[in-house]
């Protein structure tokens, strides 16, 4: 099974900061990597698919990059409404999926 | 509008059986996989398994194989997640999800069904 290691597990940043979350796969998964945002009490929401493609309607301050085993999710300028937990997800061998452990983002 | 609507919260006792549902609408139910994701209280997301309603092809995460049963009734566009004997550790929020037509990303999520198992 492919394991996903996401870091950090929690993060505190100020409004306007650039925020970066990383996700590492236990083996090469090409660009088969998605990012989700989950706000408290809500279902998760797809933000980025295929490592770097922005889902329709998602603000451009969100971006993703990487391929192979190492991936990065970035918020270019943190907004108060971005407070949430973020998850990476791999799909190298459809239809099998694995989530990362999540990163809880808080405002400093 | 494409949506998945799940059945309501459940409170059950250990050893009881349970079947929760997820009704799809606004799209061709038999043309997309539909899966289930568990989130235990205060914890992360875990993919449980998935079914293709068109031919009932079903796959499970190794962690959930034998622990739950996923099924679908395409005549009423509804997928199910079933337990034969609940445990306290099954207490969690359960989301149904629909991957995109490519099968890669979960672009549609149900609202979640909270299952509480307590004596």
């Amino acid at each position: 099974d492919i394991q996903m290691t996401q870091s950090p597990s929690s993060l505190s940043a100020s409004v306007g900061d650039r925020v970066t979350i990383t996700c590492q796969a236990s083996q090469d998964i090409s660009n088969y990597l998605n990012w989700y945002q989950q706000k408290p009490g809500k279902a998760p929401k797809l933000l980025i698919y295929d490592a770097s493609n922005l889902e329709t309607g998602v603000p451009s301050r969100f971006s993703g990059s990487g391929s192979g085993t190492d991936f990065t999710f970035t918020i270019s300028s943190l907004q108060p409404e971005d407070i949430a937990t973020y998850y990476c997800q791999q799909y190298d061998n459809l239809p099998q999926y694995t989530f990362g452990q999540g990163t809880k983002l808080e405002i400093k | 509008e494409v949506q998945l609507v799940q059945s309501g919260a459940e409170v059950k006792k250990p050893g009881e059986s349970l079947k929760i549902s997820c009704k799809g609408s606004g799209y061709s139910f038999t043309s997309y996989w539909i899966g289930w994701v568990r989130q235990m209280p205060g914890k992360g997301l875990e993919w449980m398994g998935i079914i293709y309603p068109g031919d009932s092809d079903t796959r499970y995460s190794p962690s959930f194989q034998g622990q739950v049963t996923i099924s679908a009734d395409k005549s009423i566009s509804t997928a199910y997640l079933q337990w034969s004997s609940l445990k306290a550790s099954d207490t969690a929020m359960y989301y149904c999800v629909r991957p995109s037509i490519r099968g890669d990303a979960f672009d549609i999520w149900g609202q979640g069904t909270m299952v509480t198992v307590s004596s």
Side-chain angles (χ1 to χ4, degrees):
Chain A
D1 291 2
I2 298 173
Q3 306 302 316
M4 305 302 294
T5 303
Q6 191 175 333
S7 62
S9 57
S10 65
L11 175 58
S12 182
S14 300
V15 172
D17 280 356
R18 183 180 184 87
V19 170
T20 298
I21 298 168
T22 63
C23 193
Q24 185 171 60
S26 57
Q27 64 189 67
D28 189 336
I29 58 168
S30 185
N31 68 329
Y32 303 146
L33 193 284
N34 305 317
W35 292 95
Y36 297 86
Q37 174 193 64
Q38 187 179 30
K39 296 185 176 181
K42 300 293 187 183
K45 173 187 173 184
L46 176 66
L47 297 182
I48 304 283
Y49 64 94
D50 296 349
S52 61
N53 294 299
L54 200 64
E55 176 73 344
T56 302
V58 174
S60 58
R61 64 179 179 275
F62 296 101
S63 65
S65 63
S67 66
T69 61
D70 295 302
F71 301 86
T72 300
F73 172 81
T74 300
I75 306 174
S76 60
S77 178
L78 184 66
Q79 300 302 303
E81 61 266 31
D82 299 336
I83 297 313
T85 300
Y86 293 85
Y87 295 92
C88 63
Q89 176 209 38
Q90 70 83 23
Y91 56 92
D92 180 64
N93 182 25
L94 289 174
Q96 298 275 346
Y97 309 84
T98 310
F99 288 98
Q101 305 95 317
T103 297
K104 187 174 183 180
L105 178 56
E106 298 174 328
I107 293 285
K108 195 180 293 183
Chain B
E1 179 192 7
V2 175
Q3 59 178 348
L4 299 173
V5 177
Q6 298 184 229
S7 51
E10 300 275 0
V11 179
K12 306 292 278 188
K13 289 181 168 36
E16 292 186 332
S17 63
L18 176 64
K19 192 174 190 179
I20 62 175
S21 67
C22 170
K23 183 174 176 61
S25 62
Y27 71 99
S28 174
F29 186 74
T30 54
S31 300
Y32 290 77
W33 293 86
I34 188 163
W36 292 92
V37 172
R38 183 176 80 173
Q39 188 167 38
M40 298 176 75
K43 302 299 184 183
L45 305 172
E46 301 172 271
W47 177 72
M48 301 176 71
I50 200 163
I51 187 166
Y52 191 74
D55 61 7
S56 295
D57 184 4
T58 308
R59 315 290 177 86
Y60 293 93
S61 162
S63 300
F64 292 93
Q65 181 81 48
Q67 308 304 307
V68 297
T69 300
I70 293 171
S71 61
D73 184 341
K74 59 186 178 183
S75 70
I76 55 171
S77 301
T78 300
Y80 301 97
L81 178 64
Q82 183 175 359
W83 294 262
S84 59
S85 180
L86 286 160
K87 303 183 283 288
S89 57
D90 293 318
T91 294
M93 180 71 81
Y94 293 89
Y95 293 101
C96 61
V97 293
R98 193 206 74 170
S100 70
I101 195 67
R102 299 182 308 272
D104 52 7
F106 298 153
D107 59 355
I108 305 295
W109 292 69
Q111 83 276 20
T113 296
M114 184 67 206
V115 174
T116 303
V117 183
S118 174
S119 55

